Amino acid sequence: MSHTQEFIPIAEPDLGPNEEELLLKAYRSGFISSFGEYVTKFEENFAAYCKRKHAIAVSNGTAALHLALLSLNVGEGDEVIVPSLCFAAVAASVFYVGATPVLVDCVSPDTTMSIAAVREAITPRTKAVIAVHSYGNPVDMDPLLELAREHNFKVIEDAAEAHGGLYKGKIVGSLGDIAVFSFYGNKVITTGEGGIVLTDDPDIASKVKFYKNHGMAPTKRYWHPEVGYNYRMTNLQAAIGVAQLERIHEIIEKKDRVFTFYKSSASDLETKFPGLHINAQREDCVPGKWMVCLLLPENFTANMRDALCAKLQQKGIDTRPYFYPLHEMPPYAQLRTVNARGTSDLPVTRDLSARGLNLPSSTKVTEKQVERITKVLAKQIKKLALEEEGNESGA
Ligand SMILES: *Cc1c(COP(=O)(O)O)cnc(C)c1O
């Protein structure tokens, strides 16, 4: 990296004076643990934002997934269908409750789970599906909810990457039996670490509250009818969350601007290279603005993607590869996998995982920076494509 080029990180939280003020207020109030007005306020405001009756703030998104499964009584002998192309916490949470994940293929190019594959994966043991709105792209919820009614399973939306996204005009997080979000530092809005569980069902809500707070009886302090957990969010985190939520429209608008810079700056690349997509999305959705997604041309391999990322890193441009398929990693390699034809290979997952990367996506990225990034991309992609052609004709 030469001294004239500044480093452009992949993600950065957008924190302002509003966050600082509320955080200090919480601090000065003395309520720095999980008891305090900001936790309740954050829950009420986030429930309203996602048009839900109940919201329970928790310590992180993974805890939110765990609590969602506990509240639905998912356990040993049950199967939970999850996409293979997603963050490992999704499948890990299924193991926490002793159930078995079933990994399904996804759809190209938007990376959301294939509903055809879900249909093929259903068995009498299927208790729930975790619908991950992958890289902000909403899962095709209508046919999924139809399947859920038909086969009597529950749908948990994992909207950790999709705050503010819309599915056919409806906000994500409002669609499944339960929805979970994460507020980790790189998500659309953040509380440092944090998560939330949303539902309209009062029984689910009280179970989540129960398990989150040591499994303590709501009417008898220090009486624990079951083993519980401490998954509480602190008042300090919630204060930041309240401030972030007040600005969520502003933050999403800023991110949308950055995404638009990429889209227009890289439109040439999309015409020149078949299979190359910047932020591929379905027509009927407005994706959450999490990370800028670049899918490389059709003939690109994971090695070529990694070579490109290394080159970008040299030039001060931070990237990250798409998630590796869960079924290729040791804890998940033995799980049943199902594609849209009902067989076990996951070709779309493997292909997208190999060709995908994320580009600097924070609200601080400027139009000039995007132009610089696109220039480097154009040059390097062309070079890699030519080298590949050379290799092929030489072989
Ligand atoms: C980030 C993320 C999580 C985990 O959230 P944490 O707050 O980091 O525990 C879960 N699911 C998905 C899809 C995520 O992207």
Side-chain angles (χ1 to χ4, degrees):
M1 187 167 108
S2 89
H3 63 278
T4 51
Q5 288 173 344
E6 87 277 51
F7 181 73
I8 315 173
I10 184 98
E12 245 185 307
D14 185 324
L15 301 169
N18 202 23
E19 284 77 359
E20 190 173 339
E21 190 190 322
L22 294 197
L23 177 60
L24 263 176
K25 269 191 186 161
Y27 172 79
R28 287 178 180 145
S29 77
F31 291 101
I32 60 170
S33 209
S34 56
F35 190 82
E37 59 171 322
Y38 289 110
V39 177
T40 320
K41 209 171 197 173
F42 184 56
E43 289 175 337
E44 286 171 2
N45 294 357
F46 203 79
Y49 178 67
C50 291
K51 303 188 163 41
R52 283 293 201 173
K53 293 206 177 89
H54 307 278
I56 303 98
V58 298
S59 49
N60 58 66
T62 310
L65 282 167
H66 187 186
L67 290 165
L69 293 164
L70 285 168
S71 73
L72 295 173
N73 298 317
V74 177
E76 225 160 287
D78 295 328
E79 292 176 352
V80 178
I81 299 172
V82 307
S84 182
L85 185 69
C86 72
F87 187 49
V90 178
S93 70
V94 178
F95 279 117
Y96 296 171
V97 297
T100 307
V102 175
L103 306 174
V104 294
D105 210 358
C106 65
V107 175
S108 180
D110 70 56
T111 71
T112 57
M113 72 200 298
S114 156
I115 305 305
V118 171
R119 185 181 295 117
E120 296 294 333
I122 295 168
T123 74
R125 291 170 173 242
T126 305
K127 194 80 179 264
V129 171
I130 303 180
V132 182
H133 302 309
S134 175
Y135 295 110
N137 289 306
V139 167
D140 197 0
M141 291 299 287
D142 282 348
L144 178 61
L145 292 170
E146 185 62 40
L147 281 177
R149 273 190 292 274
E150 215 174 291
H151 296 273
N152 199 30
F153 60 76
K154 301 290 184 190
V155 175
I156 300 167
E157 289 180 80
D158 183 343
E161 303 170 0
H163 311 60
L166 301 176
Y167 173 76
K168 300 186 181 173
K170 287 179 252 172
I171 192 152
V172 305
S174 70
L175 303 158
D177 298 286
I178 303 182
V180 303
F181 285 82
S182 163
F183 305 107
Y184 181 66
N186 74 11
K187 309 287 179 171
V188 177
I189 61 168
T190 184
T191 59
E193 295 275 356
I196 208 162
V197 183
L198 304 177
T199 184
D200 292 331
D201 183 328
D203 294 331
I204 289 175
S206 55
K207 278 189 185 146
V208 170
K209 282 180 204 158
F210 170 77
Y211 286 117
K212 150 190 171 176
N213 190 26
H214 299 290
M216 189 163 9
T219 51
K220 189 171 176 181
R221 285 173 73 205
Y222 303 107
W223 184 258
H224 303 269
E226 282 186 64
V227 172
Y229 304 85
N230 176 1
Y231 281 164
R232 295 176 306 227
M233 176 184 273
T234 70
N235 199 41
L236 298 175
Q237 292 169 308
I240 297 173
V242 169
Q244 286 267 282
L245 195 51
E246 281 171 7
R247 297 176 50 235
I248 193 168
H249 297 292
E250 174 200 326
I251 291 170
I252 289 174
E253 220 163 88
K254 283 200 230 165
K255 292 202 83 156
D256 195 40
R257 265 170 60 89
V258 173
F259 280 47
T260 307
F261 294 154
Y262 277 102
K263 196 78 194 167
S264 50
S265 183
S267 67
D268 268 6
L269 288 176
E270 284 188 313
T271 2
K272 231 178 264 163
F273 294 99
L276 184 147
H277 294 276
I278 281 262
N279 292 325
Q281 66 175 87
R282 277 209 318 272
E283 289 289 309
D284 53 2
C285 295
V286 179
K289 301 290 175 297
W290 184 42
M291 293 228 168
V292 173
C293 290
L294 172 62
L295 194 60
L296 292 169
E298 261 148 26
N299 50 348
F300 270 51
T301 61
N303 284 341
M304 292 162 79
R305 186 264 318 271
D306 294 344
L308 177 67
C309 289
K311 198 76 202 178
L312 288 165
Q313 200 73 31
Q314 264 179 29
K315 306 247 172 215
I317 300 160
D318 201 10
T319 61
R320 49 181 262 179
Y322 271 19
F323 296 115
Y324 296 105
L326 286 174
H327 70 276
E328 291 179 0
M329 294 185 277
Y332 311 105
Q334 302 306 317
L335 297 172
R336 192 158 65 88
T337 54
V338 184
N339 65 33
R341 287 168 292 111
T343 51
S344 69
D345 56 327
L346 305 185
V348 186
T349 296
R350 270 198 325 205
D351 174 42
L352 297 189
S353 168
R355 285 196 287 135
L357 66 142
N358 301 111
L359 295 166
S361 307
S362 91
T363 55
K364 292 169 194 170
V365 172
T366 64
E367 189 166 17
K368 251 206 159 86
Q369 287 176 325
V370 173
E371 278 165 13
R372 171 154 91 79
I373 293 167
T374 316
K375 225 184 222 162
V376 177
L377 277 175
K379 187 170 161 199
Q380 296 302 326
I381 291 173
K382 205 163 143 195
K383 207 167 141 202
L384 282 163
L386 282 174
E387 277 170 23
E388 182 61 13
E389 257 175 50
N391 286 345
E392 273 169 18
S393 56

